[in-house]
Amino acid sequence: MSMPMNRKRKLLTVMMSVASAVVAMASSSCSGSSESAPEQTTPVQTEYPIAINTMHHNDPFFFADEESQMYYHVHPRYNLNGTPAALDLFESPNLTNWRQAGVAWEPSRTFLGNNDCWAPDIYKYKGKHYIFVTFSRIRDISEISHWNLENFEIKAGTTVFVSDKGPKGPYRELLPADKLNVTPSDWMCIDGSLYVDDEGNPWMIYSGELTQFYDGRVYAQRMSDDLSSLIGEPTLLFTASEAPWVRNSGVHDGKLVYITDAPYAWKDPASGNLIMIFSSNSDSGYAMGQAISKSGSILGPWEQQPERLNTDTGGHGHVFKDLDGNLRISYHTRNFGTGAYVSTVKPISIVDGKFQKIN
C-alpha cells in the first residue's frame, strides 16, 4: 500500500494548473531593453486545463478508447463524513491534459458500500464497459482502519459496475442489492483486476490484504461470463515475501507484514509469457515489481524477478497501449520522495519476456 491503511480515504481534490510560465524576449536592438510575455496557452490546454502532473489521484487507471480516440479515468469523491459519494469521470485526448467530464457512477439507495471506494479500473468486455472497485461496509464510519476487523460488517472486496452506453457511463451496480462484492466474503480482498485468457475466459486477480493475512497474497479466480460472480475456488499465485525486492512494512500482532497492492497481468505475445506487476514496500519505499508465468497461464507457476521496476516512490501500476499503439504504464508517484503523490504515465518496454526498469 502506498500510504498508511487509511491512506486512500481522503477528500482528494483536483488541483488546477493556473500558473503561466514567463519567457524572456529578445532585447530591442534600438533600446537595449528587454520585455517578458506570458507563454501562450494552447487550445488543448484551455479545453483540458488539468495537467497530469497536478492531478493528485492515487491508483490511476487510464482507459484508452479507440472509438472516441480519448482516454478516460474515474476517481472517487467522498461526502463530508468520509463515506463514498460518487466516481467522477475525467477525460483526455493525450494523457497529458485532462478535464472533469461529469459523474460515472453514483450509489443507488440500496448500495451497501459505505467505506473505501478504492482503485477503480475501467475494462471493456464483450461490448460493455465495467468498473472494478474496492468497497466495504463498516459499523462505525469514524473508524476506517483496515486493521480493526471487528468494525467490518462486510469485509473489503471488489465489486463490479456496468455501463451499456460506453466508457463514460453512467455505470450501475451489477450485483444484487443484498450482495456488495464478488470476492470471498470472509476475506479482506482489495484491488481486483480483470484478465481474459487465451480461450476468452474472464478471471479476477485480487490481493488478499495484509491486515488479515500479514504476508499479502495474490489470488486468481474464474469469473462468470457476465462478470457478476466468481466461479470455483481461488488459486493462490504467490505471496509478497516471495519477491526478493520486497521489504516488510512493519510488525502487527508480533508478525512482519508485507504488501501486495494492485496485481495486474499483461500477456507478452512475443515470448508467450504472462507478466504480473504488483506493488509493495522496497528499499526505496513504495515500488512495483513483476513475476513471470513462462507457461503463459494465469495459474503459473510464477517466478519472482529480483529487481523492482522503479525507484521513484511510486506504485499501483496499470499497463496499457496508448491510442498510437505504444506500451505505457500509469501509476502514482512521489517523484523520488520529493512531494505529494501525483498521477503519471511513462513508456515501458518488454525485452526477453519481461518488463524493463522504468527508472
Side-chain angles (χ1 to χ4, degrees):
M1 297 174 193
S2 57
M3 301 180 186
M5 196 57 52
N6 62 354
R7 78 272 189 219
K8 299 179 184 177
R9 183 75 174 277
K10 293 181 179 179
L11 305 181
L12 298 175
T13 59
V14 177
M15 299 179 65
M16 307 293 283
S17 177
V18 297
S20 298
V22 177
V23 296
M25 299 184 67
S27 297
S28 168
S29 58
C30 59
S31 66
S33 63
S34 61
E35 297 179 359
S36 61
E39 182 179 310
Q40 294 298 310
T41 302
T42 68
V44 170
Q45 290 171 326
T46 299
E47 191 171 358
Y48 299 88
I50 306 170
I52 191 171
N53 61 3
T54 68
M55 197 158 69
H56 298 271
H57 290 185
N58 282 19
D59 314 335
F61 187 108
F62 300 141
F63 178 79
D65 183 48
E66 294 184 357
E67 184 174 343
S68 65
Q69 289 293 291
M70 294 286 288
Y71 300 95
Y72 298 104
H73 162 59
V74 289
H75 185 67
R77 173 162 44 90
Y78 297 94
N79 297 308
L80 291 177
N81 66 359
T83 57
L87 289 174
D88 288 330
L89 178 73
F90 294 80
E91 62 183 5
S92 169
N94 57 13
L95 290 172
T96 300
N97 307 101
W98 292 82
R99 69 181 178 192
Q100 189 166 348
V103 176
W105 167 83
E106 292 180 295
S108 69
R109 290 189 300 173
T110 58
F111 184 65
L112 294 172
N114 69 351
N115 188 45
D116 299 329
C117 193
W118 292 353
D121 300 350
I122 300 176
Y123 300 98
K124 186 176 183 179
Y125 177 72
K126 291 190 174 181
K128 295 183 180 182
H129 291 81
Y130 296 85
I131 290 176
F132 285 18
V133 57
T134 296
F135 270 98
S136 63
R137 183 174 182 84
I138 54 178
R139 296 177 175 89
D140 179 1
I141 62 171
S142 68
E143 174 52 64
I144 63 175
S145 171
H146 271 212
W147 291 109
N148 184 7
L149 298 183
E150 296 300 319
N151 192 37
F152 283 82
E153 186 176 339
I154 301 175
K155 289 184 175 179
T158 296
T159 193
V160 182
F161 305 149
V162 62
S163 167
D164 304 306
K165 299 181 179 180
K168 299 178 70 170
Y171 290 81
R172 69 180 187 279
E173 295 132 28
L174 182 61
L175 277 61
D178 61 350
K179 186 175 177 61
L180 178 57
N181 298 316
V182 298
T183 42
S185 60
D186 55 343
W187 288 357
M188 294 289 282
C189 301
I190 62 171
D191 296 345
S193 63
L194 177 66
Y195 173 70
V196 180
D197 66 22
D198 293 339
E199 288 73 43
N201 301 310
W203 295 75
M204 180 175 284
I205 307 164
Y206 55 92
S207 169
E209 198 181 33
L210 81 170
T211 56
Q212 181 169 356
F213 298 104
Y214 301 103
D215 191 357
R217 303 176 179 183
V218 173
Y219 287 97
Q221 194 167 353
R222 274 286 310 276
M223 299 195 77
S224 61
D225 284 339
D226 65 356
L227 307 187
S228 66
S229 63
L230 298 183
I231 299 173
E233 296 299 316
T235 298
L236 176 63
L237 305 184
F238 55 84
T239 63
S241 65
E242 294 176 32
W245 62 272
V246 167
R247 300 293 179 263
N248 72 76
S249 295
V251 178
H252 194 80
D253 295 336
K255 299 178 182 180
L256 294 174
V257 295
Y258 300 86
I259 295 166
T260 46
D261 276 356
Y264 183 84
W266 183 268
K267 189 67 173 283
D268 173 34
S271 65
N273 287 355
L274 189 59
I275 311 171
M276 180 88 69
I277 63 170
F278 66 101
S279 300
S280 192
N281 192 38
S282 75
D283 286 335
S284 62
Y286 198 53
M288 296 175 288
Q290 61 185 321
I292 307 296
S293 170
K294 292 183 177 178
S295 70
S297 168
I298 188 65
L299 299 180
W302 290 92
E303 300 176 12
Q304 295 291 338
Q305 301 305 294
E307 295 185 343
R308 57 193 182 274
L309 289 171
N310 64 309
T311 59
D312 59 351
T313 329
H316 208 291
H318 162 231
V319 176
F320 64 104
K321 283 190 175 181
D322 66 19
L323 294 172
D324 295 319
N326 302 306
L327 202 60
R328 304 282 185 176
I329 185 169
S330 64
Y331 60 103
H332 62 254
T333 174
R334 286 190 60 211
N335 294 319
F336 301 95
T338 60
Y341 280 101
V342 294
S343 304
T344 190
V345 177
K346 295 185 182 295
I348 193 168
S349 61
I350 299 174
V351 177
D352 296 331
K354 65 180 181 179
F355 290 123
Q356 298 301 288
K357 290 190 69 175
I358 303 166
N359 51 52

